[in-house]
Amino acid sequence: MSFASQAKPKHSKGRFMRTDVQHFKCEISDGIATIALDRPERKNPLSFESYAELRDWFRDLHYADDVHAVVFASNGGNFSSGGDVHDIIGPLTRMSMKELLSFTRMTGDLVKAIVNCGKPVIAAIDGVCVGAGAIIAMASDLRVATPEAKVAFLFTRVGLAGCDMGACAILPRIIGQGRAAELLYTGRSMSADEGHAWGFHNKVVAADELLGEATALAARIAAGPNFGNMMTKTMLAQEWSMSIEQAIEAEAQAQAICMQTADFERAYNAFVAKEKPVFEGN
């Protein structure tokens, strides 16, 4: 069984043009890509095809010149119910070890693509956000939620380990080892209040404000120095495996590179002129 996406990226002078996706919704406007799973009648489960297409989409995003931030939105009152029971879990019980490893590596590649896409990703979480849906939210840079948001890492509830798609590496870094261990062992839901208090959610807002709040946050970030944002995201990911000494040196190099950008000079000139800088991403 192959999990490779058949969709081909469309580029024009390095600009990201892929809105013609087949397995999720995608709109690009004013430098912000808004995407969402699109099976609201089933609480937006993932399929083999949507996993692969999202993986490829986020990989291509690294080279996009016209996308500066991403909002991964909810749809129909829910974020995602995770892997589809009938389309994914059922077939997995009939696969060989080789096929299973191909699948688990592919799902992990989606997380790596989100982490390494070079653009800030904001998850806008409403309602159900469980299993692989919770992983996508976890892999995002920032999370805005509604009071109705329920986040659960359900893997032990279906007889699997809690260590799926990087959960044991990433979740403790967000909410702490003990809290992460409880959620991963028990599979219970984390409420919106818990998520906010523990640092998983950056903000909790009413459902009718969710997309607007997430988009406004994305716009604020996208209006900043986009090359600098890319460097920030890169360092946030790479420094997990560095010593303090290595991290300080890596940041020295990254900052020296950013000091050669035109945006750095624009910021200086604007400060001298007592004006607000207008960044252009170069």
Side-chain angles (χ1 to χ4, degrees):
M1 180 178 294
S2 173
F3 299 108
S5 171
Q6 299 302 310
K8 300 298 182 182
K10 294 183 178 180
H11 294 283
S12 175
K13 298 181 179 180
R15 295 182 65 80
F16 189 76
M17 302 296 291
R18 291 201 63 196
T19 57
D20 59 336
V21 293
Q22 299 178 27
H23 302 290
F24 59 96
K25 296 170 63 176
C26 177
E27 296 179 358
I28 298 173
S29 177
D30 298 325
I32 299 171
T34 303
I35 64 174
L37 294 167
D38 196 21
R39 298 170 71 187
E41 74 285 354
R42 297 177 65 180
K43 301 180 182 179
N44 306 312
L46 287 139
S47 63
F48 291 128
E49 293 77 16
S50 59
Y51 265 123
E53 191 169 38
L54 281 166
R55 173 202 60 193
D56 294 346
W57 190 88
F58 274 103
R59 282 176 173 173
D60 291 339
L61 185 62
H62 186 81
Y63 305 100
D65 292 334
D66 62 340
V67 176
H68 308 309
V70 177
V71 174
F72 204 125
S74 296
N75 186 8
N78 294 291
F79 189 76
S80 174
S81 56
D84 189 277
V85 173
H86 302 293
D87 293 346
I88 289 186
I89 296 179
L92 289 178
T93 64
R94 300 185 291 272
M95 287 186 188
S96 67
M97 177 58 73
K98 181 178 180 180
E99 290 172 322
L100 291 170
L101 185 56
S102 178
F103 169 72
T104 55
R105 283 175 172 165
M106 184 266 288
T107 61
D109 282 344
L110 170 57
V111 172
K112 289 188 280 187
I114 294 172
V115 170
N116 295 317
C117 72
K119 311 296 167 70
V121 179
I122 301 165
I125 307 166
D126 192 16
V128 170
C129 177
V130 302
I135 294 290
I136 290 172
M138 177 195 75
S140 300
D141 298 276
L142 302 168
R143 287 156 292 277
V144 181
T146 70
E148 293 74 34
K150 296 289 189 293
V151 178
F153 300 84
L154 296 176
F155 310 112
T156 58
R157 301 278 291 274
V158 296
L160 298 176
C163 56
D164 197 52
M165 299 171 69
C168 286
I170 300 174
L171 189 60
R173 289 179 167 90
I174 300 173
I175 65 172
Q177 184 81 5
R179 291 164 176 164
E182 182 201 352
L183 295 181
L184 296 177
Y185 278 126
T186 67
R188 77 164 179 87
S189 293
M190 174 174 57
S191 70
D193 287 342
E194 284 178 318
H196 191 219
W198 294 353
F200 189 82
H201 301 314
N202 297 88
K203 195 170 187 178
V204 176
V205 301
D208 60 357
E209 299 174 4
L210 178 62
L211 185 57
E213 188 73 29
T215 302
L217 180 56
R220 179 178 179 181
I221 294 171
N226 293 306
F227 185 86
N229 289 341
M230 179 274 292
M231 280 292 199
T232 301
K233 178 155 184 160
T234 299
M235 289 296 99
L236 282 169
Q238 290 184 357
E239 289 181 33
W240 286 356
S241 57
M242 293 181 183
S243 67
I244 294 297
E245 290 78 9
Q246 291 170 326
I248 291 172
E249 174 59 23
E251 291 190 4
Q253 295 180 23
Q255 203 71 302
I257 293 170
C258 288
M259 288 173 181
Q260 291 188 313
T261 64
D263 272 347
F264 180 60
E265 186 174 354
R266 291 186 187 103
Y268 168 73
N269 291 335
F271 179 81
V272 171
K274 297 183 178 180
E275 298 173 349
K276 184 177 180 179
V278 177
F279 297 113
E280 298 182 19
N282 63 335

